[in-house]
């Protein structure tokens, strides 16, 4: 799927900061689409009249604030999710590399799927909190803030309620990985050239295409997961879910029986529309943040362009470059001091 490319000229903390800033910004800007998508998946009355009408109903009933419900939980989830995902992915890739350091594309995608599961397990309670905050009416709230949501769910429904529907994350990872694999295996046919010649624009299109296919294939699992996260006998109208069920399989059955098979893809329009602006903002913000860090590290001459600093070895890491600068500074200082002595 689309992801930012690692740059060895950044420190680990700088990379994390850039990814975090880009993720928070892109999530915040596309939050209205995410709210409409999740409400459509759960089946609240706001989203029973179509995509455009959903925006109008949310605005009329909850105001402009209603489009950013749950965004804080989503943004808070981003940082631990990214950290766990990257750490797990690196270890899995290293484990599956051959003696030459090569890993097949299928194994790399599989490693990404497993890393995603590990990260989802760590941050799943925040996803449940996000769903509950989005589904409720913010003018008549049951929950106030992320911490209150987590504590209230834990007190009233128990620890397992914070992991309700997690098994669907595992099941959805398989069609998701297959979708990514199918796209990336056919990119050379799509562009009529080998992958190593792809331009940044082509890679961006590839990432969006892979995200669209993978998310469409795994979407029914996410729909049922959102319904399971939202439903609670302790909430008004059982959390606003359009069908009542007793478990995962019963949820699938009740949805298909009462709403039809296609209702498993409710909200797909909002999800698909969200892909391009989300990844576009993600890449743009990451590159802007990266430029600032590269300028600070001394690799480029300005934070507003990628013009390389003259005489700087771009293959050096940031700490190596700093050591080299310190060494040259000390050497120049020493030669200047010796010439001063020779003069006197």
């Amino acid at each position: 799927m689309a992801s930012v490319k690692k740059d060895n000229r950044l420190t680990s903390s700088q990379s994390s900061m850039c990814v975090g800033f880009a993720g928070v910004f892109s999530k915040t800007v596309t939050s209205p689409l995410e709210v409409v998508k999740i409400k459509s998946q759960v089946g609240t009355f706001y989203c029973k009249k179509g995509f455009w009408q959903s925006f109008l109903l949310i605005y009329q009933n909850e105001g402009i604030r209603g489009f950013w419900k749950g965004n804080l939980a989503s943004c808070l989830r981003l940082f631990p999710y990214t950290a766990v995902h990257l750490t797990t992915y690196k270890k899995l890739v290293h484990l599956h590399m051959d003696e030459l350091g090569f890993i097949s594309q299928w194994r790399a995608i599989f490693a990404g799927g497993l890393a995603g599961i590990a990260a989802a397990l760590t941050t799943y309670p925040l996803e449940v909190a996000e769903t509950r905050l989005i589904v409720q009416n913010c003018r008549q709230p049951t929950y106030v803030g992320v911490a209150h949501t987590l504590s209230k769910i834990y007190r009233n429904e128990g620890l397992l309620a914070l992991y309700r529907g997690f098994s669907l994350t595992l099941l959805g990872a398989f069609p998701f990985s297959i979708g990514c694999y199918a796209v990336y295996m056919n990119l050379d046919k799509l562009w009529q050239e080998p992958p190593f010649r792809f331009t940044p624009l082509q890679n961006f299109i590839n990432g969006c295409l892979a995200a669209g296919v993978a998310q469409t294939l795994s979407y029914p699992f996410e729909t049922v997961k959102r319904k399971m996260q939202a439903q609670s006998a302790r909430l008004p109208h059982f959390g606003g879910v359009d069908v009542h069920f007793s478990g995962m399989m019963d949820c699938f059955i009740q949805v298909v029986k009462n709403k039809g098979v296609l209702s498993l893809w409710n909200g797909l329009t909002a999800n698909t529309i969200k892909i391009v602006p989300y990844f576009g903002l993600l890449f743009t913000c990451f590159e802007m943040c990266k430029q600032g860090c590269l300028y600070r590290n001394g690799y480029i001459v300005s934070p507003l362009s990628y013009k390389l600093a003259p005489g700087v070895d771009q293959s050096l890491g940031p700490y190596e470059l700093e050591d080299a600068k310190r060494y040259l500074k000390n050497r120049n200082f020493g030669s200047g001091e010796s010439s001063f002595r020779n003069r006197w």
Side-chain angles (χ1 to χ4, degrees):
M1 218 174 81
S3 60
V4 291
K5 188 176 180 180
K6 183 182 176 183
D7 194 322
N8 291 324
R9 297 173 297 175
L10 301 179
T11 65
S12 298
S13 59
Q14 286 175 334
S15 294
S16 300
M17 182 189 70
C18 291
V19 171
F21 173 76
V24 167
F25 185 78
S26 53
K27 276 182 175 291
T28 301
V29 173
T30 57
S31 179
L33 288 165
E34 183 71 6
V35 169
V36 170
K37 183 196 84 169
I38 291 176
K39 281 183 173 290
S40 299
Q41 288 177 315
V42 172
T44 61
F45 76 93
Y46 294 109
C47 300
K48 293 182 178 179
K49 295 186 178 180
F51 174 70
W52 295 111
Q53 194 70 14
S54 299
F55 283 95
L56 182 61
L57 286 172
I58 292 171
Y59 177 73
Q60 289 174 343
N61 287 275
E62 302 184 63
I64 195 72
R65 193 160 58 99
F67 292 110
W68 277 270
K69 295 184 301 179
N71 186 59
L72 179 60
S74 181
C75 291
L76 288 175
R77 179 172 174 258
L78 183 69
F79 293 96
Y81 185 96
T82 302
V84 174
H85 188 279
L86 288 175
T87 302
T88 309
Y89 180 73
K90 285 179 182 177
K91 290 185 176 181
L92 289 172
V93 167
H94 183 73
L95 189 67
H96 288 93
M97 278 182 178
D98 58 23
E99 58 275 7
L100 298 175
F102 175 78
I103 183 171
S104 66
Q105 198 159 23
W106 167 246
R107 286 188 175 182
I109 291 173
F110 182 70
L114 290 179
I117 290 171
L121 178 64
T122 307
T123 60
Y124 197 78
L126 284 170
E127 186 179 335
V128 174
E130 177 195 4
T131 301
R132 293 285 180 97
L133 287 166
I134 287 175
V135 170
Q136 73 173 359
N137 189 322
C138 65
R139 288 179 175 171
Q140 299 172 333
T142 303
Y143 307 107
V144 183
V146 179
H148 179 256
T149 305
L150 293 171
S151 63
K152 192 167 184 177
I153 294 173
Y154 177 73
R155 285 198 314 270
N156 296 340
E157 303 174 52
L159 179 63
L160 290 180
L162 293 171
Y163 287 90
R164 190 177 294 150
F166 179 73
S167 57
L168 287 150
T169 300
L170 305 178
L171 294 173
F174 291 102
F176 187 92
S177 297
I178 290 170
C180 286
Y181 183 72
V183 171
Y184 281 114
M185 285 297 98
N186 291 283
L187 289 178
D188 53 346
K189 297 176 185 176
L190 175 67
W191 298 110
Q192 299 295 313
E193 59 182 347
F196 66 86
R197 289 187 177 177
F198 291 164
T199 65
L201 178 60
Q202 286 175 309
N203 284 324
F204 172 72
I205 295 172
N206 296 340
C208 291
L209 184 61
V213 173
Q215 289 176 17
T216 300
L217 291 176
S218 61
Y219 201 82
F221 297 97
E222 190 188 350
T223 296
V224 173
K225 179 182 73 175
R226 293 292 184 181
K227 290 181 188 294
M228 293 184 70
Q229 290 173 344
Q231 180 178 269
S232 174
R234 294 178 177 270
L235 294 175
H237 310 292
F238 283 83
V241 184
D242 56 356
V243 294
H244 296 162
F245 48 88
S246 57
M248 181 183 69
M249 287 305 300
D250 188 45
C251 185
F252 273 106
I253 292 169
Q254 294 301 325
V255 170
V256 173
K257 182 180 177 181
N258 294 294
K259 304 296 177 180
V261 176
L262 292 181
S263 65
L264 290 169
W265 279 270
N266 281 350
L268 183 63
T269 301
N271 186 71
T272 304
I273 292 172
K274 177 189 166 187
I275 289 173
V276 173
Y278 177 82
F279 285 115
L281 290 168
L282 184 73
F283 281 119
T284 302
C285 291
F286 178 82
E287 290 300 318
M288 289 175 64
C289 187
K290 186 175 85 170
Q291 279 182 238
C293 292
L294 290 177
Y295 173 70
R296 186 180 184 280
N297 293 347
Y299 289 101
I300 57 178
V301 297
S302 168
L304 302 177
S305 74
Y306 271 121
K307 186 178 180 181
L308 302 180
V312 175
D313 187 349
Q314 300 291 323
S315 65
L316 293 176
Y319 297 117
E320 294 172 322
L321 182 59
E322 189 177 340
D323 290 339
K325 285 182 177 179
R326 192 181 297 115
Y327 169 75
L328 291 172
K329 184 178 179 181
N330 291 336
R331 192 179 70 172
N332 291 336
F333 178 77
S335 62
E337 191 177 57
S338 62
S339 62
F340 177 78
R341 284 174 183 167
N342 291 335
R343 251 188 262 173
W344 293 92

